[in-house]
């Protein structure tokens, strides 16, 4: 335990500049959106307190916004505002709005009618009644709303990393993808601490007497403005070319770290979810992205992969991995699963992914069509011999493969299948496997080598150019360490690749990663 | 000082106040009496335009109150509500200072006025820095009175000012109010449903029901010459007490013997007051202010004279 804590500390020290950037960006995102939400929510709350007829409509609308899942709200923002800070701030603003409007409204409505009447009866004008009596008395409730909104925003702001807006989500999602607990904690702990600290500070303000609160309430916007400005700090590198990389890619030696080390690339980067990355490249929001070479969107958005002339991306041949225990119990399983081997090459997989990601066909239908075309499909036997739990990560290719395996198992054995699809990233999937929550899922040799086995640099460098050597290495080590068996590779290689728009790559004559580096250095 | 003519307030088709007229003289204590929903509070609030009249005319010192904006009008009229109407986020001093501040007095003057008022209302100066929540109900209501008197307005409007207090506190604060040196010159309009309170404070009482005035006049007129059954029934429960408060010692002055002694009250006082003073002694001495004549008041004789007097009035 002590060793582990030490290494988390090491990680944080080692990554302190990134951590600081992310924390400041996180604070900035939280408070810019909060500032806008206060600036709009408080007057709106006052308005509906004065015009009660509007209250139902406004609160209802803000309530509906609140119920939209945060990741979906971010998704809706992209067509409107693109990627980066704007959609993130807009989404956070919408989340902060309801508690602020509602508490302003409740606070003002809650002022004793006799007190309001006394204020009028003394001869205060309506603005004097508002500022001298209603707002000060509503302040504790109003501040409670701002407090709720702040804590919500600190939490939701982690998702901003999905759309290239930065923040501590970069570490959290990077860590989940990379099976790196330290990285997750390096993001999660500061995020939790921010929430706790802001909540505590605001609770102190809330419990001040109204008199002292006056000073604080004046100081607060200044402070918030200051905190917001963190976000506007200049980016590390300037340049014409903007790269969008997934959190996973950012943290991998066979990713951004390798680009920096082996290619000496100094490129302006933002972190972004692969769900929106391809579209952002197509819409010219990004110039270079880190994609997968069999991704269907490659075809859909007319992107080209750059040649990895220095071999930093190891091979990612897909193969089913199965718990040994299950294979011993149901030996017929191996034969059924191996039927797919040699049947899908890169082009075929890209085509299948294209149908899923771009034509939005259901993975089950794509899988069945494919198996029928290959003459592999058989009616399910509806066997009850046992249940195989198939997992998959949360992207189209994995859904398609897990569907194919499900059909093969049902058609060729007397086993039944239970699918647990959409298990976040590698870490979640693999942990589910070691904890016997699932029996098998499709994995990639490169991921096994680097992410799960965390193989040392020297060994990786030796293996990396030979796809068979990588396969044999992970196969041996998985059996030894985890009692998990790699079956035969399916055939295609879904490796990491840098991608650009075809047109831009032709215009700039960039064909390899070295070309790209040369171009960036000049411009 | 206050003239109301044909005053009306409609809420939809419901006439909350229906064609009311009255005149209030300077220094007069005018009571709007009635059960809840009779329109008395609505009438009061129309006087400082917290509620705008649907029809009719209100003049203060001969000027229509609609000639000025409502804020200016209200700053010139004291307004006392129940004790939970103090501003809870202001100290006692800041509460009292509200109207002077709105009128733009300088700080020295406001401070001095706050101190003066707090003393007049028998609270010690340290209370000035307290918040309303730290005071008892009675203390809060004293501050409430001080707040209304702060800018020394000639008119005081009081909306059930003692309604939330217990009977003992209520009568003691009522006494303090009536003993203030500025009390005599204030023109007061008070809303109450409490008959005893109305008869104790009111020079003139306006009894309302269903938005209309049933009878207005001096206490004795309502008591001894009720205009209709409503007035009679309304007062019947409180008849004895009201009568004791209405009939003055001077009304039965003829029946007592002149005899020098320690004067306890004037002949302007009510029979009720004399009875209270006679709780622990059979005899007190009263003086007639105009000529300094002192007479001996005995309980037996007093009660007999009182019952004779009321009999002749009905």
């Amino acid at each position: 335990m002590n060793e582990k804590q030490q290494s988390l500390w090491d990680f944080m020290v080692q990554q302190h500049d990134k951590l600081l950037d992310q924390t400041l960006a996180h604070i900035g995102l939280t408070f810019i959106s909060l500032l806008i939400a206060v600036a709009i929510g408080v007057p709106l709350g006052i308005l509906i307190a004065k015009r009660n007829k509007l209250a139902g409509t406004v609160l209802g609308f803000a309530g509906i916004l609140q119920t939209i899942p945060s990741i979906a709200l971010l998704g809706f923002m992209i067509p409107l505002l693109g990627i980066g800070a704007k959609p993130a701030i807009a989404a956070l603003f919408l989340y902060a709005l309801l508690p602020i409007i509602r508490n302003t409204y409740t606070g003002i409505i809650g002022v004793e009618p006799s007190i309001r009447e006394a204020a009028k009866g003394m001869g205060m004008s309506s603005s004097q009644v508002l500022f001298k009596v209603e707002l000060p008395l509503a302040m504790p409730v109003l501040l409670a709303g701002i407090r709720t909104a702040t804590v919500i925003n600190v939490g939701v702001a982690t998702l901003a990393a999905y759309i290239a807006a930065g923040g501590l989500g970069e570490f959290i999602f990077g860590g989940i993808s990379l099976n790196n607990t330290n990285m997750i904690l390096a993001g999660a702990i500061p995020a939790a601490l921010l929430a706790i600290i802001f909540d505590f500070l605001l609770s102190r303000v809330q419990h001040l007497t109204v008199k002292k609160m006056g000073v604080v309430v004046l100081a607060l916007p200044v402070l918030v403005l200051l905190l917001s400005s963190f976000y506007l700090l200049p980016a590390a590198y300037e340049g014409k070319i903007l790269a969008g990389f997934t959190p996973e890619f950012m943290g991998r030696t066979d990713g951004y770290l390798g680009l920096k080390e082996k290619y000496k690339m100094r490129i302006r980067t933002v972190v972004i979810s692969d769900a929106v990355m391809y579209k952002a490249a197509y819409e010219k929001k990004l110039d270079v992205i880190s994609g997968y070479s069999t991704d269907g969107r490659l075809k859909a958005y007319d992107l080209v992969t750059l040649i990895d002339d220095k071999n930093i991306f190891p091979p990612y041949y897909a193969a089913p991995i199965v718990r040994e225990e299950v294979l011993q119990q149901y030996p017929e399983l191996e034969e059924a699963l191996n039927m797919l081997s040699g049947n899908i090459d890169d082009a075929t997989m890209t085509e299948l992914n294209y149908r899923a990601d771009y034509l939005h066909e259901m993975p089950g239908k794509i899988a069945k069509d494919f198996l029928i075309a290959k003459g592999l499909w058989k009616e399910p036997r509806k066997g009850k011999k046992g249940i195989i739990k198939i997992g998959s990560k949360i992207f189209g290719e994995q859904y398609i493969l897990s569907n194919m395996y499900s059909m093969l198992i049902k058609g060729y054995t007397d086993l039944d299948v239970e699918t647990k699809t959409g298990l976040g990233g590698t870490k979640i999937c693999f942990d589910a496997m070691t904890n016997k929550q699932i029996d098998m899922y499709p994995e990639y040799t490169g991921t096994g080598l680097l992410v799960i086995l965390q193989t040392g640099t020297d060994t990786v460098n030796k293996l990396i150019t030979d796809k068979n050597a990588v396969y044999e290495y992970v196969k041996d080590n998985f059996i030894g360490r985890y009692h998990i068996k790699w079956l035969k590779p399916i055939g295609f290689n879904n490796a990491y690749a840098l991608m650009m728009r075809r047109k831009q790559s032709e215009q700039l004559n960039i064909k390899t990663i070295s070309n790209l580096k040369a171009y960036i250095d000049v411009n | 000082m206050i003239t109301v003519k044909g005053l009306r307030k409609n809420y939809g088709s419901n006439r909350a106040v229906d064609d009311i007229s009255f005149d209030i003289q300077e220094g007069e204590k005018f009571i709007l009496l009635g059960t809840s929903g009779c329109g008395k509070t609505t009438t009061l609030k129309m006087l400082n335009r917290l509620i705008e009249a649907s029809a009719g005319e209100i003049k203060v010192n001969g000027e229509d109150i609609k000639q000025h904006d409502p804020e200016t009008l209200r700053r010139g009229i004291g307004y006392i509500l129940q004790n939970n109407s103090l501003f809870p986020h202001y100290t006692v001093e800041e509460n009292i200072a509200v109207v002077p501040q709105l009128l733009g007095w300088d700080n020295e003057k406001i401070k001095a006025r706050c101190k003066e008022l707090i003393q007049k209302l028998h609270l010690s100066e340290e209370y000035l820095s307290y918040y309303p929540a730290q005071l008892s109900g009675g203390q809060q209501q004293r501050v409430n009175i001080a707040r209304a008197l702060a800018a020394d307005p000639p008119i005081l409007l009081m909306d059930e000012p003692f309604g939330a207090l217990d009977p003992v506190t209520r009568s003691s604060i009522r006494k303090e109010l009536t003993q203030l040196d500025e009390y005599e010159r204030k023109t007061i309009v008070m809303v109450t449903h409490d008959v005893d309170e109305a008869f104790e404070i009111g020079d003139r009482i306006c009894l309302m029901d269903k938005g209309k005035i049933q009878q207005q006049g001096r206490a004795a007129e309502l008591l001894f010459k009720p205009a209709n059954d409503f007035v009679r029934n309304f007062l019947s429960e409180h008849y004895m007490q009201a009568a004791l408060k209405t009939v003055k010692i001077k009304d039965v002055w003829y029946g007592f013997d002149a005899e020098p002694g320690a004067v306890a009250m004037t002949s302007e006082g009510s029979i009720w007051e004399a009875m209270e003073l006679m709780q622990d002694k059979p005899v007190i001495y009263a003086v007639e202010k105009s000529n300094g004549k002192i007479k001996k008041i005995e309980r037996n004789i007093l009660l007999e004279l009182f019952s004779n007097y009321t009999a002749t009035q009905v």
Side-chain angles (χ1 to χ4, degrees):
Chain A
M1 196 61 203
N2 203 14
E3 198 184 0
K4 188 140 199 182
Q5 278 174 352
Q6 187 58 40
S7 64
L8 170 62
W9 179 246
D10 283 346
F11 180 87
M12 289 170 98
V13 170
Q14 192 193 335
Q15 303 277 343
H16 72 274
D17 51 345
K18 244 189 190 171
L19 185 62
L20 186 69
D21 279 356
Q22 290 185 14
T23 310
L24 293 184
H26 205 95
I27 297 173
L29 276 177
T30 304
F31 281 96
I32 291 179
S33 47
L34 192 69
L35 192 68
I36 303 172
V38 170
I40 292 176
V42 171
L44 211 54
I46 294 171
L47 179 77
I48 61 172
K50 299 284 165 196
R51 304 224 170 113
N52 239 314
K53 276 181 200 158
L54 294 173
T57 320
V58 171
L59 289 176
F61 184 69
I64 289 169
L65 287 176
Q66 199 78 11
T67 61
I68 302 174
S70 31
I71 194 82
L73 189 58
L74 287 172
F76 289 142
M77 288 294 152
I78 291 165
L80 300 173
L81 295 168
I83 57 164
K86 269 189 280 173
I89 290 170
L92 288 173
F93 152 73
L94 291 177
Y95 272 107
L97 209 48
L98 176 68
I100 293 176
I101 297 178
R102 190 184 48 203
N103 282 40
T104 307
Y105 171 75
T106 314
I108 289 180
I109 289 293
V111 172
E112 208 51 63
S114 63
I115 290 170
R116 187 177 292 119
E117 194 179 279
K120 274 186 176 172
M122 300 291 118
M124 289 190 190
S125 64
S126 30
S127 69
Q128 283 169 328
V129 174
L130 179 66
F131 287 107
K132 284 175 180 253
V133 178
E134 288 176 325
L135 275 181
L137 290 176
M139 199 51 79
V141 182
L142 202 162
L143 277 171
I146 294 180
R147 199 175 143 195
T148 311
T150 310
V151 175
I152 292 177
N153 269 11
V154 170
V156 178
T158 52
L159 295 175
Y162 273 143
I163 52 167
L168 289 161
E170 290 188 8
F171 269 160
I172 297 175
F173 296 116
I176 292 174
S177 307
L178 294 167
N179 189 15
N180 185 337
T181 314
N182 286 334
M183 194 187 262
I184 298 176
L185 292 177
I189 292 175
L193 284 178
L194 285 183
I196 293 169
I197 292 168
F198 291 140
D199 189 49
F200 174 75
L201 291 178
L202 284 167
S203 80
R204 299 310 300 254
V205 176
Q206 198 184 338
H207 291 122
L208 287 177
T209 59
V210 177
K211 195 64 46 63
K212 287 179 196 152
M213 203 185 275
V215 185
V216 179
V217 165
L218 286 180
L220 217 55
V222 181
L223 197 69
V224 167
L225 212 58
L226 203 71
L227 289 172
S228 308
S229 66
F230 285 156
Y231 194 69
L232 308 171
L233 291 177
Y237 303 122
E238 296 296 327
K240 279 186 188 162
I241 297 279
L242 179 65
F245 295 148
T246 59
E248 178 164 4
F249 188 83
M250 287 299 283
R252 294 176 72 138
T253 45
D254 62 327
Y256 182 60
L257 300 179
L259 282 180
K260 278 206 291 195
E261 197 182 322
K262 294 226 175 113
Y263 284 97
K264 309 285 178 217
M265 176 115 64
R266 291 168 57 83
I267 190 167
R268 199 152 61 94
T269 59
V270 292
V271 175
I272 189 167
S273 153
D274 66 339
V276 294
M277 181 171 65
Y278 295 90
K279 187 139 191 271
Y282 173 72
E283 286 169 351
K284 301 186 182 173
K285 300 270 178 4
L286 297 170
D287 302 304
V288 178
I289 59 171
S290 61
Y292 299 97
S293 47
T294 58
D295 198 296
R297 289 166 291 193
L298 203 60
K299 183 175 165 179
Y301 293 123
D302 199 21
L303 305 174
V304 291
T305 56
L306 301 182
I307 297 164
D308 174 22
D309 49 335
K310 289 190 178 170
N311 280 322
I312 62 164
F313 300 133
Y316 279 73
Y317 283 91
I321 63 172
V322 194
R323 290 198 295 119
E324 209 177 11
E325 195 187 339
V326 178
L327 285 173
Q328 279 160 3
Q329 199 180 348
Y330 310 115
E332 67 271 33
L333 188 61
E334 182 161 353
E335 197 188 334
L337 295 178
N338 275 339
M339 296 185 82
L340 215 53
S341 173
N343 273 318
I344 306 177
D345 61 12
D346 285 10
T348 315
M349 195 67 235
T350 308
E351 174 67 30
L352 295 178
N353 284 335
Y354 171 71
R355 287 173 61 185
D357 295 336
Y358 199 72
L359 302 180
H360 303 297
E361 290 180 36
M362 296 305 292
K365 180 178 180 295
I366 299 170
K368 191 174 173 185
D369 288 352
F370 176 79
L371 291 182
I372 291 171
K374 290 278 176 185
L376 291 171
W377 198 78
K378 268 194 184 176
E379 276 298 325
R381 293 199 208 165
K382 305 212 165 115
K384 293 276 182 277
K385 193 177 166 194
I387 292 177
I388 302 299
K389 287 174 276 185
I390 303 181
S392 91
K393 300 184 199 177
I394 192 159
F395 56 91
E397 182 169 298
Q398 290 259 328
Y399 287 127
I400 296 170
L401 292 175
S402 60
N403 268 293
M404 287 184 186
Y405 286 127
S406 166
M407 288 167 190
L408 289 172
I409 293 170
K410 284 179 185 167
Y412 289 87
T413 72
D414 289 320
L415 298 165
D416 199 7
V417 172
E418 188 184 311
T419 47
K420 298 204 170 183
T421 52
L423 296 169
T426 301
K427 181 172 169 53
I428 296 171
C429 228
F430 189 72
D431 283 353
M433 184 105 148
T434 52
N435 290 315
K436 304 186 181 178
Q437 300 292 308
I438 56 174
D439 299 320
M440 61 159 294
Y441 74 92
E443 187 53 282
Y444 305 89
T445 52
T447 313
L449 179 73
L450 297 161
V451 179
I452 298 172
L453 295 172
Q454 310 259 342
T455 311
T457 322
D458 293 344
T459 321
V460 171
N461 284 341
K462 252 184 278 167
L463 297 169
I464 199 164
T465 46
D466 184 352
K467 62 174 191 178
N468 290 326
V470 174
Y471 177 75
E472 292 303 327
Y473 182 87
V474 295
K475 191 177 174 188
D476 292 347
N477 281 281
F478 266 60
I479 283 285
R481 276 199 227 171
Y482 307 115
H483 303 290
I484 288 172
K485 187 170 179 186
W486 283 77
L487 304 186
K488 284 189 198 166
I490 301 168
F492 66 90
N493 177 15
N494 187 2
Y496 264 135
L498 290 194
M499 304 171 182
M500 294 180 75
R501 284 184 298 283
R502 185 183 299 281
K503 215 171 168 191
Q504 191 183 28
S505 111
E506 278 165 7
Q507 267 173 7
L508 303 176
N509 201 20
I510 296 174
K511 298 232 158 23
T512 65
I513 297 179
S514 292
N515 290 161
L516 175 66
K517 190 236 176 226
Y519 176 81
I520 291 168
D521 287 349
V522 174
N523 287 278
Chain B
M1 184 146 198
I2 302 174
T3 314
V4 171
K5 233 185 243 169
L7 193 63
R8 231 182 224 138
K9 180 70 196 177
N10 304 330
Y11 290 110
S13 61
N14 174 33
R15 291 190 167 173
V17 172
D18 191 5
D19 196 12
I20 278 186
S21 304
F22 52 75
D23 278 304
I24 303 172
Q25 303 306 313
E26 188 167 352
E28 196 172 18
K29 319 296 178 239
F30 188 80
I31 311 290
L32 291 164
L33 179 66
T35 50
S36 44
C38 72
K40 58 190 191 301
T41 300
T42 309
T43 306
L44 183 84
K45 285 181 181 171
M46 284 192 278
L47 296 180
N48 67 356
R49 293 182 66 185
L50 281 174
I51 294 175
E52 295 289 355
S54 306
E57 188 182 58
I58 302 173
K59 282 182 176 173
V60 173
N61 289 328
E63 269 185 61
D64 193 320
I65 58 168
K66 283 190 181 152
Q67 280 180 350
H68 304 287
D69 65 296
E71 281 82 30
T72 318
L73 173 78
R74 290 173 196 151
R75 286 170 198 175
I77 298 177
Y79 186 45
I80 304 178
L81 299 88
Q82 292 193 357
N83 60 324
N84 59 357
S85 68
L86 291 175
F87 303 125
H89 58 307
Y90 283 2
T91 61
V92 167
E93 181 163 15
E94 288 164 332
N95 265 291
I96 299 175
V98 167
V99 181
Q101 247 159 14
L102 289 173
L103 292 170
W105 290 15
D106 64 63
N107 283 338
E108 291 299 308
K109 193 174 164 195
I110 295 177
K111 264 200 150 56
R113 180 65 177 157
C114 289
K115 271 189 192 168
E116 183 192 345
L117 280 166
I118 205 90
Q119 281 165 356
K120 276 189 183 173
L121 287 151
H122 309 291
L123 290 170
S124 74
E125 262 182 45
E126 60 182 308
Y127 283 106
L128 283 173
S129 59
Y130 283 28
Y131 283 91
Q134 294 168 286
L135 306 179
S136 71
Q139 288 167 334
Q140 285 178 10
Q141 200 53 0
R142 288 189 179 90
V143 176
N144 214 339
I145 292 169
R147 180 172 70 172
L149 293 172
D152 202 12
I155 299 172
L156 277 184
L157 303 183
M158 305 204 271
D159 186 4
E160 310 242 11
F162 312 114
L165 301 171
D166 64 87
V168 177
T169 316
R170 192 186 307 183
S171 71
S172 79
I173 292 186
R174 215 151 55 194
K175 278 223 173 72
E176 278 176 40
L177 176 68
T178 52
Q179 282 161 10
L180 286 175
D181 49 12
E182 47 250 271
Y183 180 76
E184 282 303 317
R185 19 184 198 95
K186 300 286 175 205
T187 306
I188 292 179
V189 184
M190 183 170 90
V191 162
T192 184
H193 60 265
D194 182 335
V195 175
D196 296 338
E197 190 165 278
F199 277 77
E200 194 171 315
I201 291 184
D203 294 327
R204 230 150 30 96
I205 295 167
C206 171
L207 180 58
M208 291 179 66
D209 185 47
K210 296 187 185 121
K212 287 194 156 93
I213 295 179
Q214 299 301 322
Q215 188 174 1
Q216 59 171 316
R218 311 199 74 80
E221 285 169 29
L222 266 77
L223 201 60
F224 301 126
K225 296 186 177 60
N228 56 32
D229 282 349
F230 176 82
V231 179
R232 184 175 299 117
N233 291 336
F234 192 87
L235 298 176
S236 65
E237 251 183 70
H238 303 270
Y239 181 83
M240 197 58 192
Q241 206 176 348
L244 286 166
K245 283 180 178 170
T246 308
V247 180
K248 306 278 193 297
I249 293 291
K250 68 175 182 189
D251 295 329
V252 291
W253 192 241
Y254 65 92
F256 298 109
D257 298 329
E259 189 180 312
V263 173
M265 63 183 296
T266 71
S267 60
E268 298 291 320
S270 66
I271 308 276
W272 179 270
E273 252 181 280
M275 298 283 288
E276 276 185 327
L277 291 168
M278 275 191 275
Q279 269 170 18
D280 48 359
K281 48 198 165 202
V283 171
I284 56 165
Y285 296 89
V287 62
E288 190 180 353
K289 258 191 173 172
S290 55
N291 55 19
K293 218 173 186 180
I294 295 173
K295 286 191 173 181
K296 182 172 87 171
I297 315 283
E298 278 177 273
R299 190 188 289 158
N300 297 346
I301 302 172
L302 181 65
L303 286 178
E304 201 185 319
L305 290 169
F306 168 71
S307 94
N308 288 344
Y309 178 83
T310 51
T312 59
Q313 293 296 314
V314 178

